Amino acid sequence: MIATERLILRKPTKEDFGSFFEINHDPQTNIHNPGGPMSFEKAESTFAKMLDHWEKYSFGGWVIVEKDDPENIIGFGGLSYKLYGDKEKLNLGYRFASQAWGKGYATEFTKKAIDFGFKENNEEIFAIVRPTNIASVKVLEKAGMIRIGTLDDVPGQPESLVYRIQK
């Protein structure tokens, strides 16, 4: 478990799947996702991959809750290995329930995740963001990440922006 000023980040359990699906299936949280809301099957496979990442590397996507209401899951996010084209990189990603937007949680979470990654001896951390997702672009930049290029990761869509921070 990791804590920030207002958040608790903890390892996910199978019991967290319902909240994971609810957040990832919500059309509001997928405004910038070209694939749209996650189907139940996609959520199941994505959640299983998140749990497998924890088993393999002893870190991964966390469950994010408010310290003041630790039973209420407001998001999922963390660090995990992801393919950027044909290269595997340490990727920072998150998705918050829309009720948690506008409170500075994403920036608070992102800074803590970066800090964790560097304490675990990682030299650089990457993030991918859709060019229309201005709020997430601002979060990454507030956390000290710098845009280094683009990635053609969604066929037929504008290229994603690639951000990086180095230790």
Side-chain angles (χ1 to χ4, degrees):
M1 187 178 77
I2 296 173
T4 69
E5 183 182 334
R6 301 176 297 158
L7 304 172
I8 295 172
L9 318 177
R10 66 168 174 78
K11 180 180 177 180
T13 66
K14 289 179 182 174
E15 290 74 25
D16 297 318
F17 174 73
S19 295
F20 180 83
F21 175 65
E22 186 178 311
I23 290 169
N24 285 282
H25 185 67
D26 180 356
Q28 191 69 19
T29 66
N30 284 280
I31 289 172
H32 302 285
N33 181 359
M38 258 189 211
S39 68
F40 187 83
E41 295 76 18
K42 174 72 172 164
E44 276 185 319
S45 69
T46 302
F47 192 76
K49 286 178 191 170
M50 188 167 68
L51 296 179
D52 289 345
H53 193 280
W54 270 96
E55 289 303 312
K56 187 172 182 180
Y57 299 104
S58 299
F59 73 90
W62 292 288
V63 173
I64 306 168
V65 300
E66 294 170 308
K67 278 185 177 177
D68 294 344
D69 189 5
E71 298 303 312
N72 181 33
I73 296 172
I74 62 168
F76 291 84
L79 300 172
S80 60
Y81 292 105
K82 177 180 177 79
L83 283 177
Y84 279 57
D86 60 353
K87 293 189 173 147
E88 192 174 67
K89 299 183 182 211
L90 187 61
N91 181 72
L92 179 136
Y94 59 84
R95 180 155 297 157
F96 282 89
S98 56
Q99 312 87 278
W101 293 359
K103 299 179 180 181
Y105 289 154
T107 301
E108 187 173 328
F109 162 78
T110 297
K111 288 178 178 180
K112 190 63 161 184
I114 289 168
D115 182 53
F116 173 86
F118 288 157
K119 283 183 179 169
E120 294 296 311
N121 296 317
N122 293 288
E123 296 298 315
E124 57 187 1
I125 298 168
F126 294 82
I128 299 172
V129 64
R130 302 299 302 157
T132 56
N133 193 343
I134 304 305
S136 284
V137 165
K138 288 179 181 178
V139 165
L140 298 177
E141 291 175 352
K142 281 188 221 170
M145 298 189 87
I146 297 168
R147 182 177 163 191
I148 60 162
T150 59
L151 181 65
D152 189 10
D153 59 337
V154 183
Q157 293 288 322
E159 292 182 336
S160 292
L161 307 178
V162 178
Y163 279 76
R164 178 180 70 190
I165 190 167
Q166 295 177 301
K167 195 171 189 175

